[in-house]
Amino acid sequence: MIEGSCRFSLFFQITLVNLFRKPRLDVCLLRQALSDVVQNLKGGIFIATVIAAAVGSALMGFVAKYPFALAPGLGINAFFAYTVVLSMGYSWQFALLAVFVEGILFLILSVVPVREKLFNSIPLSLKSGVAVGIGIFIAFIALQGGKIIVANNATIVSLINFHMVDMHTNGIWAILTLLGIIVTSAFLIKGIRGAILLGIFATWLLGIVTEFVGVYVPNPEAGFHSVIPQFGDYLQSLDRSFREFGVTCGALFHPESWTLTRGDAIVGQGFSLIKSLDFFVVIFAFFFVDLFDTLGTLIGVSLRGGFLKEDGKLPRISQALSCDAIATSIGAICGTSTTTTYVESAAGVAYGGKTGLTAVSVALFFLLSLLFAPVFMAIPGFATAPALIMVAYFMMTSIAKID
């Protein structure tokens, strides 16, 4: 029963920390890449993200039998939206086609297997270093989400200055993040089962209280939404989202939507774009980012979970890489950018996830989350940031294995 409760906490923790953090950013980025005609596809992109993540995670669990979950990668997502669509001028449908082709290419190299040899050629000490680097990266993301690290024109980033921010938004957000770190740390020190999950809920509850008493004041335009679940006309909203998904799903297979614009003029369209050098440049850009992103994640999470052999090799790596490649192509068909194994899988591994059952359960929660979206969407960044920071700490303990 203890093991069962631990797994339940693990599954829910992965879902809470990552499910609506990634799709929410995924939607924000991709909406900026959509043309005026289809500007209102937020729900469709959201469902595409959920389906891609669910299918990819399920494949990883059933085929590779590893507790690695998949979702659209944020770094590749930004490249998709800002570089390929906004800067280069290609339509989002054509960009999805490039992602689809990249996934097929990735699958071929996984079966060959070129990617496996590349993974096994990396020394164990370097793999340990990658795990530490991923831990630092996760901590940085968490501190940004918790508003403790903020943008600075002079130094790029800096710590929050409570004397220069609105205490009803940024200020209280950062304070709640710090309180969440303290609460979650206390739960872990006490050895409470489900400590990280309980830390998320405890911090979220503190946020709800601050909103009720007027200390935290939502400001959607500035990115500070209500932390209280809003159900409203959710069923109607869900129906609209599925209709929007009908637009994004399969959009890459319509050549008439493949366009290249310069300013307000369309200078290229249809199959002629496939012959351009830029198309192959975009494919290889997606390919190399996805390649090293996936390898880095597999190294870091596998090292943390003890999946690597003494010689540093990962069993069934071809299956894991193939699942990643298939999920990328499926995600492109659904209407989202490159799907990849994501680093927050370390949260589940650090908490005891060892088998593919973890990934399969995460996939189920991804699908079930469609019915409880108002609840999950209300979970704020200051509630999930402490959990990610704890996971980052666990990842950084691999520094002791570096020679």
Side-chain angles (χ1 to χ4, degrees):
M1 186 175 71
I2 293 177
E3 182 181 356
S5 62
C6 174
R7 282 181 172 176
F8 178 79
S9 298
L10 162 63
F11 306 151
F12 230 79
Q13 175 195 334
I14 295 175
T15 307
L16 288 178
V17 172
N18 303 292
L19 175 56
F20 285 93
R21 195 159 184 265
K22 282 183 178 290
R24 185 154 44 193
L25 288 170
D26 191 55
V27 167
C28 291
L29 287 172
L30 292 183
R31 284 193 73 191
Q32 296 183 50
L34 299 179
S35 64
D36 294 336
V37 179
V38 289
Q39 190 60 239
N40 297 316
L41 293 179
K42 178 180 178 179
I45 298 171
F46 171 75
I47 292 178
T49 302
V50 170
I51 292 177
V55 172
S57 298
L59 282 173
M60 185 66 74
F62 281 120
V63 179
K65 297 179 174 59
Y66 280 121
F68 306 149
L70 289 82
L74 293 184
I76 308 176
N77 192 331
F79 176 78
F80 178 101
Y82 292 115
T83 302
V84 180
V85 178
L86 295 180
S87 297
M88 299 179 70
Y90 288 105
S91 64
W92 58 274
Q93 295 95 330
F94 189 71
L96 287 175
L97 177 66
V99 173
F100 175 78
V101 174
E102 178 260 325
I104 298 299
L105 178 61
F106 223 152
L107 179 60
I108 294 173
L109 293 181
S110 298
V111 174
V112 172
V114 175
R115 293 172 73 184
E116 179 178 355
K117 292 182 178 179
L118 180 60
F119 181 93
N120 292 334
S121 66
I122 301 174
L124 185 57
S125 290
L126 183 55
K127 290 176 179 176
S128 299
V130 169
V132 175
I134 290 176
I136 296 173
F137 176 64
I138 292 175
F140 183 73
I141 292 176
L143 291 171
Q144 280 187 313
K147 308 302 181 185
I148 295 175
I149 290 180
V150 296
N152 185 294
N153 292 331
T155 61
I156 302 179
V157 294
S158 65
L159 294 176
I160 186 173
N161 186 337
F162 289 102
H163 297 289
M164 300 179 64
V165 298
D166 184 352
M167 290 303 297
H168 290 293
T169 52
N170 290 78
I172 187 61
W173 192 284
I175 290 173
L176 287 168
T177 299
L178 293 172
L179 290 174
I181 294 173
I182 295 172
V183 171
T184 306
S185 298
F187 288 159
L188 286 170
I189 292 171
K190 291 293 184 180
I192 298 175
R193 191 166 296 279
I196 296 180
L197 177 66
L198 291 176
I200 293 175
F201 282 117
T203 310
W204 184 22
L205 181 60
L206 288 174
I208 292 176
V209 172
T210 59
E211 183 173 340
F212 267 123
V213 300
V215 177
Y216 171 69
V217 180
N219 183 0
E221 293 183 358
F224 297 94
H225 300 272
S226 173
V227 299
I228 302 173
Q230 306 292 325
F231 287 91
D233 59 345
Y234 177 64
L235 291 179
Q236 291 83 348
S237 175
L238 185 62
D239 178 68
R240 183 172 59 253
S241 295
F242 274 102
R243 289 200 302 271
E244 294 171 0
F245 176 64
V247 176
T248 64
C249 184
L252 76 165
F253 295 125
H254 299 291
E256 66 276 6
S257 66
W258 304 344
T259 59
L260 173 62
T261 59
R262 293 286 183 266
D264 295 328
I266 297 178
V267 297
Q269 188 172 15
F271 288 100
S272 61
L273 297 180
I274 298 179
K275 303 175 184 178
S276 67
L277 178 62
D278 281 349
F279 179 62
F280 295 97
V281 171
V282 170
I283 289 176
F284 280 103
F286 280 128
F287 173 79
F288 283 112
V289 173
D290 192 15
L291 171 65
F292 291 104
D293 185 20
T294 303
L295 289 179
T297 300
L298 287 178
I299 290 171
V301 179
S302 297
L303 190 63
R304 174 60 194 169
F307 303 130
L308 298 180
K309 294 182 178 180
E310 293 183 359
D311 57 2
K313 294 183 178 180
L314 179 66
R316 305 186 304 280
I317 185 174
S318 291
Q319 292 91 321
L321 295 173
S322 296
C323 292
D324 187 285
I326 294 172
T328 291
S329 294
I330 291 177
I333 294 174
C334 291
T336 189
S337 58
T338 304
T339 303
T340 184
T341 307
Y342 57 93
V343 295
E344 291 89 347
S345 297
V349 172
Y351 211 72
K354 297 294 183 182
T355 68
L357 179 60
T358 301
V360 173
S361 298
V362 171
L364 291 176
F365 274 105
F366 268 116
L367 296 176
L368 289 174
S369 66
L370 292 173
L371 303 177
F372 301 98
V375 176
F376 288 112
M377 289 293 281
I379 299 175
F382 61 72
T384 58
L388 287 176
I389 290 171
M390 296 300 107
V391 171
Y393 164 74
F394 293 137
M395 293 289 292
M396 286 186 279
T397 57
S398 297
I399 196 170
K401 299 180 180 180
I402 300 177
D403 294 332

